[in-house]
Amino acid sequence: MRSIDFLIIGQGLAGSALAWELVHRGKKVMVIDEPEANRSSTIAAGLFNPITGRVMTKTWLADQLFPELHRFYATASSELHQPFFHPDTIYRPFISILEQEQWKLKSADPSMLPFVKRFHETSQWSHQVKNSWGGIEIAHSGYIDTNMWMKAIRNWLILSDSFMQAHVEESELHAGEGIHYKELDAGSVIFCNGLGASSGYWFNWLPLKPLKGQTLRITTRENLERIYSRGVFMVPSGNEYAVGATYEHPPFEQQVTPAGKALLVEKLEGLLATSFDVVHQDWGIRPTTPDRRPMLGQHPQHNNVWVFNGLGTKGVSLAPYFARQLADCLMGQASLPSAVNISRFYALYSGSR
């Protein structure tokens, strides 16, 4: 038998960030994952943006999330010698003179000032983007190359014999005074397996909701000067741009669809002033929650069985901050915030397992 401190199930954005955090605290971990199953993480464009939504509001916990995000990914990129972290400006065009006037007032709000790089009343980069009423440049934004990040941390874990590529048989995972799984003895197990939790044994009672997203990869006539975002986002990806995403609730087809492509192309045509060609289409399913807050915490009956899930469409920005919060809790240094603690769903647990 091999003894470790923490067994982590799943190496998506949540599992990757948690493994990094725990190892840097001197803990022995084993991560078990099926890389080909991480569709939501691997097709993600990796965009992080503190001002989001149709009405362009500061995202939840932006003042805490984004400083931690920049520290976390910059440090990891440097230590792993992999350039997956790309701080960059997002330009979001206004769609009317009314919206421009509203943002003239918003941008003067002291709470918004750190996140607004520039306010433009007139058209900018009009050869590339349609923005008759100007727009705002958003600060503390950018993207990570999610595939490079997860591959880098997987290779880092492999070097220390802390990664296993396998399907986890939950029926063989036993929780008592410790966690026993095949040849592993662990102090605790943390399930970071996204929608896999819905069909699993330990956390199938959590109200995870699947949200399908389709994306495109395009080429453009010229290199774009900014990340443009309005209805769709455009993120550099090698010599191409990742474009997304649709938001499709069940029932849906688990594949790309002509309707998904048509919707993204329509939105792109409304945003870009330059021509483009679609070269690829992809899809994935994100784990979301009813209250749009992550799910972290202990199983109701087993205090060494944990979950880190439900990051939804904002996994890149949520994972670093809440990995640190969860690591603090696992080590007995803090309690989890009630807004993300799965204790808010304990009433759904029947106790019949």
Side-chain angles (χ1 to χ4, degrees):
M1 298 295 287
R2 177 179 172 184
S3 295
I4 56 174
D5 297 306
F6 298 103
L7 174 61
I8 298 174
I9 310 299
Q11 195 238 319
L13 293 170
S16 295
L18 182 61
W20 179 265
E21 188 72 33
L22 290 172
V23 170
H24 279 75
R25 296 178 185 222
K27 298 303 176 182
K28 295 178 182 178
V29 308
M30 175 60 73
V31 178
I32 305 179
D33 185 59
E34 298 175 274
E36 68 279 3
N38 282 335
R39 292 197 57 84
S40 62
S41 295
T42 55
I43 75 156
L47 188 71
F48 53 92
N49 180 1
I51 297 176
T52 60
R54 291 188 181 90
V55 295
M56 298 168 68
T57 57
K58 188 167 69 170
T59 193
W60 175 65
L61 288 183
D63 296 306
Q64 290 78 41
L65 294 177
F66 285 83
E68 178 64 17
L69 176 158
H70 282 264
R71 181 203 66 79
F72 179 91
Y73 290 120
T75 300
S77 183
S78 176
E79 289 190 23
L80 295 171
H81 307 290
Q82 293 290 327
F84 52 77
F85 179 51
H86 302 276
D88 204 351
T89 301
I90 294 175
Y91 183 66
R92 175 146 175 165
F94 300 132
I95 58 170
S96 67
I97 190 67
L98 175 61
E99 187 178 65
Q100 181 198 95
E101 291 297 323
Q102 290 172 338
W103 262 95
K104 189 180 292 184
L105 296 174
K106 280 187 182 182
S107 61
D109 184 334
S111 69
M112 297 295 295
L113 284 176
F115 301 105
V116 178
K117 185 174 181 180
R118 290 187 187 89
F119 173 89
H120 297 281
E121 295 187 58
T122 58
S123 177
Q124 307 292 315
W125 309 289
S126 58
H127 59 297
Q128 295 187 344
V129 65
K130 297 174 182 178
N131 66 131
S132 300
W133 296 280
I136 60 166
E137 291 183 72
I138 302 171
H140 300 294
S141 54
Y143 67 98
I144 69 164
D145 182 327
T146 54
N147 283 306
M148 185 184 292
W149 155 238
M150 290 191 296
K151 183 178 179 181
I153 199 159
R154 183 162 59 247
N155 290 338
W156 174 74
L157 290 165
I158 289 170
L159 286 174
S160 61
D161 193 21
S162 299
F163 180 85
M164 185 184 304
Q165 183 169 329
H167 174 72
V168 173
E169 302 290 345
E170 289 195 33
S171 61
E172 296 187 39
L173 193 151
H174 304 285
E177 291 186 9
I179 299 295
H180 307 284
Y181 181 70
K182 295 187 175 181
E183 299 301 314
L184 293 170
D185 280 337
S188 296
V189 60
I190 307 99
F191 285 89
C192 305
N193 54 340
L195 287 166
S198 298
S199 57
Y201 174 79
W202 298 94
F203 291 105
N204 57 21
W205 48 276
L206 285 175
L208 284 167
K209 296 185 173 183
L211 180 67
K212 179 183 173 184
Q214 297 190 59
T215 61
L216 302 177
R217 288 189 182 271
I218 67 167
T219 57
T220 58
R221 186 173 57 193
E222 57 184 294
N223 292 330
L224 303 181
E225 297 179 42
R226 293 288 188 279
I227 297 174
Y228 298 123
S229 177
R230 182 85 217 194
V232 288
F233 56 73
M234 302 183 58
V235 174
S237 178
N239 297 321
E240 302 169 350
Y241 294 90
V243 177
T246 63
Y247 298 86
E248 303 170 49
H249 298 276
F252 46 65
E253 299 176 69
Q254 294 197 26
Q255 61 183 7
V256 298
T257 64
K261 179 180 179 180
L263 177 62
L264 293 173
V265 166
E266 179 185 1
K267 291 186 175 183
L268 264 178
E269 289 174 341
L271 176 66
L272 286 183
T274 187
S275 61
F276 63 89
D277 294 301
V278 176
V279 296
H280 184 66
Q281 184 179 1
D282 212 338
W283 69 280
I285 302 178
R286 321 165 183 99
T288 67
T289 63
D291 55 6
R292 299 185 180 182
R293 301 289 182 259
M295 294 178 174
L296 287 75
Q298 292 171 296
H299 189 275
Q301 290 188 331
H302 302 278
N303 62 12
N304 53 3
V305 179
W306 297 72
V307 68
F308 183 14
N309 208 324
L311 301 188
T313 62
K314 301 183 186 298
V316 165
S317 56
L318 293 171
Y321 179 79
F322 285 108
R324 180 164 60 85
Q325 295 267 317
L326 182 54
D328 286 343
C329 189
L330 287 166
M331 299 179 70
Q333 298 172 350
S335 299
L336 289 171
S338 59
V340 300
N341 197 318
I342 62 164
S343 60
R344 68 194 193 274
F345 298 120
Y346 278 174
L348 301 178
Y349 179 69
S350 68
S352 59
R353 291 157 181 78

